[in-house]
Every structure is written in structure tokens, then in C-alpha cells.
Amino acid sequence: MFPLRTICEDKSVSQTIDEAIKLSPRIEEAFDGLKWRLAREPENGVKLQGTNPEKYLFKITPLIKNIPSITVLYEFNNHTVTILSIRITPQK
């Protein structure tokens, strides 16, 4: 296992999260939890076949009602995890 990786976000990811926080402030906690997990175990995401460099998807669905699910597309190496895009889906 590698030491903690630095999390980097594409500018569009940061903008999407900032907008989502305005609608649901607790989404920031969910996103922080997702980043915590990716910094430690990015290899646990779903590896997308045929991507070079390898890309992964990771989804969290908070147990707290009214907090949307978050899915991110990312890549990583021994030192960093780069979140390339994000999708926020309201819970039903």
C-alpha cells in the first residue's frame, strides 16, 4: 500500500461541487468522504477497460436522505489521484 495520495480536481469538478453545495450543503461532507477513500484506496474503483492511462469510476450513495449520489471518473499514480469529472444524482 502506498502512502496517502494527494487529491487533485479538474476545474469543472470544483465548480460542480461548489454549485451542488449551494443546493445541499451536506454534499460537501459526502465529497470529502469520497476523497478520503480515494486518497487511501483508489484501486478499489471500477477500472474502465481500454483506457490509457487507466481510468476508474467510484460511486458513493450516502445513507442520509436527501444527499445525492456522487460518481467520479479519476486516474491515479503512486502520488496523486486526479478527479477528472463528477456526476451528482439526486436520491429517489
Side-chain angles (χ1 to χ4, degrees):
M1 177 184 256
F2 294 103
L4 294 180
R5 292 169 176 89
T6 301
I7 301 292
C8 302
E9 302 169 14
D10 185 83
K11 185 176 180 177
S12 66
V13 172
S14 300
Q15 292 171 339
T16 299
I17 284 295
D18 290 345
E19 289 299 314
I21 289 169
K22 292 176 186 175
L23 301 173
S24 176
R26 297 209 53 203
I27 199 166
E28 185 173 20
E29 295 172 43
F31 189 56
D32 286 345
L34 182 143
K35 292 189 294 185
W36 184 93
R37 178 76 184 267
L38 291 178
R40 288 156 178 77
E41 298 176 330
E43 63 278 355
N44 287 345
V46 176
K47 184 176 170 182
L48 299 178
Q49 298 300 317
T51 57
N52 187 11
E54 294 177 339
K55 293 181 178 45
Y56 294 76
L57 287 175
F58 196 89
K59 179 180 180 178
I60 60 165
T61 302
L63 299 176
I64 301 168
K65 197 172 187 175
N66 297 325
I67 297 182
S69 296
I70 302 171
T71 305
V72 293
L73 173 69
Y74 65 96
E75 57 191 26
F76 69 93
N77 60 36
N78 294 348
H79 306 287
T80 62
V81 174
T82 303
I83 301 174
L84 304 168
S85 66
I86 187 168
R87 181 175 53 210
I88 299 173
T89 310
Q91 288 191 42
K92 296 179 182 181

